[in-house]
Amino acid sequence: AQTVTQSQPEMSVQEAETVTLSCTYDTSENNYYLFWYKQPPSRQMILVIRQEAYKQQNATENRFSVNFQKAAKSFSLKISDSQLGDTAMYFCAFGTNTGNQFYFGTGTSLTVIP
Amino acid sequence: EAQVTQNPRYLITVTGKKLTVTCSQNMNHEYMSWYRQDPGLGLRQIYYSMNVEVTDKGDVPEGYKVSRKEKRNFPLILESPSPNQTSLYFCASRLAGPNGEQYFGPGTRLTVT
């Protein structure tokens, strides 16, 4: 079975600063998919960024980027120029090669301080 | 508007009273899935469906049933709810293919007393 670990239950960052959220996972699969989801107070789940394990290049989406270290099974999320609207719970997720099964971490609650 | 809808959004019920949470998507997605979210545990997958009449267990299927008779609908059935099924439930859908974006419904807050 796959496991996803987020070791930072809560984090805070000053507006306009950069913050990195950590995620590690455990799997015996060679190909898989990794995601970061954002859940604001509205509870809506929003995809932030995704990474395919067979791609070595780290994914980026505007102010969001990942540091994917396959050998270390690490998938951290970097948020640059933090904005108040980034305040949310962030979940790291692992998708199996078939895409049928998903495993989420326990989440990191991020607060952006004005 | 492309969306996943869930009903009801809030439900308080008693132990043992059968209930169904509906999920519907209008994007012609093949894949649909149910998750429960609990504090400190994140989201855990209950069941998923790859297409009509094709379903399979996720990580925490005990106490739940699903069916997929139509492509757009994927109801979650609790035949005898218990207090440990009090949770926030999400339905999600996406196109076939492993790396597609999952579109989540707004969530259903279920309380079982």
Side-chain angles (χ1 to χ4, degrees):
Chain A
Q2 278 64 228
T3 58
V4 179
T5 301
Q6 294 179 250
S7 59
Q8 305 153 314
E10 296 181 354
M11 295 190 71
S12 61
V13 62
Q14 292 288 338
E15 192 175 9
E17 296 295 306
T18 295
V19 64
T20 298
L21 309 183
S22 301
C23 173
T24 58
Y25 57 93
D26 189 25
T27 183
S28 58
E29 296 188 4
N30 187 50
N31 196 28
Y32 44 87
Y33 301 85
L34 297 165
F35 306 83
W36 277 98
Y37 280 89
K38 170 185 177 181
Q39 187 180 47
S42 66
R43 302 188 325 205
Q44 183 66 39
M45 293 290 289
I46 303 164
L47 177 65
V48 174
I49 200 165
R50 59 187 144 185
Q51 175 82 42
E52 293 154 351
Y54 63 86
K55 290 186 177 179
Q56 293 186 341
Q57 186 174 4
N58 289 325
T60 62
E61 287 286 343
N62 301 314
R63 298 183 294 108
F64 299 88
S65 62
V66 297
N67 183 3
F68 173 48
Q69 301 288 329
K70 191 173 183 179
K73 296 180 181 175
S74 171
F75 184 60
S76 60
L77 174 70
K78 185 172 80 171
I79 306 174
S80 304
D81 186 26
S82 297
Q83 301 175 359
L84 297 178
D86 294 334
T87 292
M89 182 73 83
Y90 287 82
F91 291 99
C92 178
F94 174 102
T96 59
N97 184 43
T98 61
N100 292 332
Q101 292 167 296
F102 283 84
Y103 300 88
F104 285 80
T106 52
T108 296
S109 178
L110 176 68
T111 301
V112 179
I113 303 167
Chain B
E1 179 189 356
Q3 59 182 351
V4 178
T5 57
Q6 294 180 227
N7 283 292
R9 296 287 310 278
Y10 300 90
L11 178 61
I12 301 174
T13 189
V14 296
T15 299
K17 186 176 181 181
K18 181 179 179 179
L19 66 92
T20 299
V21 184
T22 65
C23 173
S24 183
Q25 50 93 4
N26 62 0
M27 296 169 280
N28 202 36
H29 286 167
E30 290 85 8
Y31 178 93
M32 297 185 75
S33 185
W34 276 103
Y35 301 88
R36 61 177 289 175
Q37 182 179 0
D38 303 289
L41 297 178
L43 282 80
R44 293 177 292 168
Q45 192 175 34
I46 303 171
Y47 270 96
Y48 60 91
S49 170
M50 293 78 76
N51 215 322
V52 176
E53 302 290 2
V54 183
T55 63
D56 207 347
K57 297 176 181 178
D59 221 18
V60 288
E62 295 79 18
Y64 304 94
K65 285 178 59 176
V66 294
S67 68
R68 186 92 181 272
K69 293 182 170 55
E70 303 168 285
K71 195 172 186 179
R72 63 183 293 126
N73 296 323
F74 189 44
L76 179 69
I77 303 159
L78 286 71
E79 294 210 329
S80 184
S82 62
N84 65 13
Q85 293 179 297
T86 292
S87 187
L88 177 60
Y89 291 87
F90 286 99
C91 179
S93 74
R94 64 163 167 79
L95 291 169
N99 64 337
E101 177 180 355
Q102 285 195 82
Y103 292 82
F104 283 80
T108 295
R109 171 72 71 185
L110 172 66
T111 301
V112 183
T113 61

